[in-house]
Amino acid sequence: MAIVTADSTLPTVQSYIDGGYVPSTSDEKFAALYPATNRTICDVEQAGAAEIDAAVESAQRGFAVWSTMPALERSRILLRAVAIIRARNDELAALETLDTGKVIGETSTEDVVTGADVIEFYAGVAQTLHGETIDFPGHGFARMKREPLGVCVGIGAWNYPIQIAMWKSALALACGNAMIFKPAEMTPLSAGVLAEIYTEAGLPDGVFNVLQGDARVGQALVRHAGVAKVSLTGEVSTGKSVMADAAGTLKAVTLELGGKSPIVVFDDADVDSALNAALTNNFYSTGQVCSNGTRVFVQRGVYERFLEPIAERVRALKVGDPFDPETMIGPLVSAEHRDKVMRYMKIAEDSGARQIIAGNVEDPGLAVGNYVLPAVYADCTDDMEFVTEEVFGPLMSVLPFDTEDEVVERANATPYGLSAAVFSSDFARANRVANALQAGSVWINDYGTLPASLPFGGYKQSGVGRENGANAIEHYTQVKMIYSSLVPVEKYM
Ligand code: NDP
């Protein structure tokens, strides 16, 4: 495939089942739009009931082959996929930019790269999966073996389409499962290409299938009796629906959901470092990152010093063409999402909070796309709607605080618990606060560093289970106990 540009149109996208693309029996199509202009890139065929059943049956056949293959061979196939992905990095990054509107400076250095890293990590883990033995001297022994679950379903959000597809499939496949992946309707372009790459790398047919379509396809998969497990990345409300639907067949679920994460900056912090972290982790991907630190608590002693450079720093961010390597702020994923974010911008403007910087897109060249300018409000209070709810756009709130106990209580006063950070030069305090913050990932004097070996996931309503890291195999395997007797069974009755 040639590297796509902002003007590319693509052939109709179909589901990928059993090693190849298949036409849909549903007769329904939807359009994939380029978020910077909202022009149609291509049509996408919505998978019908026949494709859903075909994908599950194919995955069950694929599972029978894959789960009995030596781990070394599975590992080699995953590593071949990694090599192909890395060789095609720029092409995949451009496709991701066209699909999501995310700037090329990010997709070419982050999205594809970190996806490949996770596949490489789990290719190694695949060879380390082993069981345990317990001896019962004079009687027998038991071996506990770790077995895959079967057909797993991955359902992706639109903000990191290819990375999510790689993260979910890497873990599932390394453990010997098959996966059916449903990308978000708004970002359908990359999942099929990943399936092609897996096939080229030698993955048996059916081990990674892709079904295109909207929430109906996701829901049918979650309810399907032939599916053993579901992993969703999405909103909290979707997580609740998926968990309820999965209960019908008692499927295991992994849920990677939303957040409203705090960054806590103490008076003794390196303020420049904290500000760098706050700006990046509010405006990267135009704010469309689940783990962003959108509630920035700053202690009063450094409060004004923290705020002072913000307006100039934010004004300097280049907004515009996502394919321009200099661009820092691209469009939001859709017009509907832009309208939602703009509603929160208005709520912030009317809230009484101090506006540090905000504004409307005036460039007529950008008006056809889903652009929103980054905004920062200070003197926010904990109860303001844009401070409590996930905006998923470039809106940062700064809140003053006085004491350690106070800030811990306020930072934790949210139903979310995805990520958090504390900035302080006091080692003991930084660790005390990190221990007290209710979040799945907490950084001290940093934000967002997340190599493949570290677990990621949420506390409270930000999720269930973990992805990445060696321990996540617990969520994609089950332990079977096999007891072997070394003595005859005694007569009892
Ligand atoms: P949504 O919850 O709207 O959708 C996520 C996926 O679920 C989509 O593929 C969607 O299909 C599908 N879906 C929707 N309803 C159902 C259902 N009832 N049953 C099965 N599948 C369903 O999330 P967004 O795509 O809007 O993504 C943004 C959200 O994702 C934010 O809340 C963000 O915080 C979160 N997120 C969490 C991450 C984490 O790791 N914790 C990482 C990235 C994002 P369709 O889109 O086709 O309707």
Side-chain angles (χ1 to χ4, degrees):
M1 192 167 128
I3 293 187
V4 298
T5 67
D7 301 319
S8 296
T9 53
L10 300 176
T12 298
V13 172
Q14 296 177 326
S15 296
Y16 190 99
I17 301 170
D18 220 35
Y21 289 103
V22 294
S24 170
T25 54
S26 78
D27 286 338
E28 277 186 61
K29 283 183 182 172
F30 55 92
L33 306 180
Y34 176 43
T37 59
N38 284 314
R39 71 171 181 83
T40 297
I41 304 163
C42 60
D43 286 334
V44 184
E45 292 183 6
Q46 162 102 6
E51 289 76 67
I52 293 169
D53 283 338
V56 174
E57 284 161 23
S58 145
Q60 285 169 335
R61 289 192 301 274
F63 173 71
V65 177
W66 183 243
S67 60
T68 51
M69 198 181 264
L72 181 63
E73 221 168 302
R74 286 208 303 263
S75 172
R76 279 192 191 124
I77 290 171
L78 293 174
L79 289 174
R80 274 203 292 275
V82 171
I84 300 168
I85 291 162
R86 293 229 169 96
R88 292 175 65 178
N89 180 73
D90 293 354
E91 176 205 325
L92 294 169
L95 190 66
E96 199 74 337
T97 289
L98 188 67
D99 206 12
T100 60
K102 288 167 60 151
V103 300
I104 196 78
E106 291 182 21
T107 55
S108 63
T109 58
E110 177 88 10
D111 300 47
V112 184
V113 174
T114 53
D117 283 353
V118 170
I119 303 177
E120 188 172 21
F121 174 78
Y122 281 118
V125 169
Q127 294 185 60
T128 69
L129 298 176
H130 57 78
E132 290 176 336
T133 309
I134 301 180
D135 271 324
F136 298 93
H139 295 275
F141 66 94
R143 59 189 174 96
M144 271 61 66
K145 65 190 286 255
R146 199 170 273 287
E147 294 192 339
L149 302 176
V151 176
C152 300
V153 161
I155 302 177
W158 44 255
N159 64 334
Y160 277 91
I162 196 163
Q163 188 209 58
I164 291 171
M166 291 199 262
W167 282 21
K168 290 192 190 303
S169 59
L171 174 54
L173 268 47
C175 292
N177 301 286
M179 172 158 273
I180 302 170
F181 188 79
K182 188 204 89 66
E185 189 186 2
M186 269 186 288
T187 52
L189 301 188
S190 55
V193 181
L194 177 63
E196 288 178 42
I197 290 172
Y198 276 137
T199 299
E200 187 187 337
L203 195 73
D205 292 347
V207 179
F208 184 73
N209 291 330
V210 174
L211 285 176
Q212 297 288 353
D214 58 23
R216 288 171 294 167
V217 175
Q219 192 166 43
L221 285 168
V222 175
R223 291 178 175 174
H224 204 292
V227 170
K229 183 201 164 94
V230 177
S231 173
L232 166 85
T233 298
E235 292 175 8
V236 171
S237 58
T238 309
K240 290 176 183 175
S241 302
V242 164
M243 203 171 196
D245 281 331
T249 44
L250 283 178
K251 288 181 181 62
V253 291
T254 294
L255 303 174
E256 296 285 355
L257 309 175
K260 195 73 200 182
S261 302
I263 297 178
V264 178
V265 184
F266 284 96
D267 283 345
D268 60 5
D270 176 339
V271 175
D272 292 341
S273 172
L275 180 60
N276 289 341
L279 291 177
T280 303
N281 291 283
N282 272 274
F283 302 138
Y284 199 77
S285 285
T286 316
Q288 302 168 112
V289 183
C290 53
S291 55
N292 267 355
T294 47
R295 293 182 298 142
V296 185
F297 293 93
V298 183
Q299 205 165 15
R300 285 196 200 272
V302 290
Y303 190 70
E304 291 305 327
R305 206 174 111 213
F306 182 89
L307 292 175
E308 200 273 323
I310 288 181
E312 199 184 324
R313 291 273 300 267
V314 173
R315 212 172 285 118
L317 298 175
K318 184 171 179 189
V319 181
D321 176 6
F323 280 94
D324 177 346
E326 303 290 308
T327 302
M328 299 296 275
I329 305 288
L332 296 173
V333 74
S334 67
E336 188 192 355
H337 187 54
R338 179 201 52 204
D339 293 347
K340 177 186 155 188
V341 171
M342 287 308 290
R343 273 200 305 280
Y344 281 109
M345 292 286 186
K346 182 82 176 80
I347 289 168
E349 194 182 329
D350 297 343
S351 67
R354 175 166 37 133
Q355 186 182 98
I356 303 296
I357 184 162
N360 292 316
V361 174
E362 275 156 20
D363 179 348
L366 300 183
V368 288
N370 311 316
Y371 287 90
V372 171
L373 296 184
V376 180
Y377 286 83
D379 307 350
C380 301
T381 55
D382 297 339
D383 58 348
M384 290 175 173
E385 211 177 331
F386 71 101
V387 176
T388 58
E389 294 179 12
E390 186 184 45
V391 177
F392 226 54
L395 178 54
M396 167 169 150
S397 46
V398 187
L399 307 95
F401 75 92
D402 293 298
T403 69
E404 181 182 319
D405 287 349
E406 172 210 335
V407 77
V408 167
E409 190 183 329
R410 289 172 62 196
N412 285 338
T414 166
Y416 296 110
L418 193 55
S419 302
V422 49
F423 283 82
S424 169
S425 57
D426 179 336
F427 180 83
R429 172 159 66 188
N431 278 280
R432 202 165 51 233
V433 172
N435 285 336
L437 289 170
Q438 296 161 349
S441 307
V442 183
W443 290 275
I444 294 176
N445 296 329
D446 192 17
Y447 203 100
T449 300
L450 211 59
S453 53
L454 298 183
F456 183 68
Y459 275 27
K460 300 194 276 188
Q461 292 190 28
S462 285
V464 173
R466 293 290 178 271
E467 287 182 341
N468 297 353
N471 291 342
I473 59 160
E474 303 282 345
H475 305 294
Y476 280 84
T477 53
Q478 53 195 336
V479 174
K480 176 183 279 177
M481 184 284 285
I482 300 176
Y483 181 84
S484 297
S485 177
L486 298 177
V487 292
V489 177
E490 285 177 14
K491 184 177 177 197
Y492 176 67
M493 52 180 53

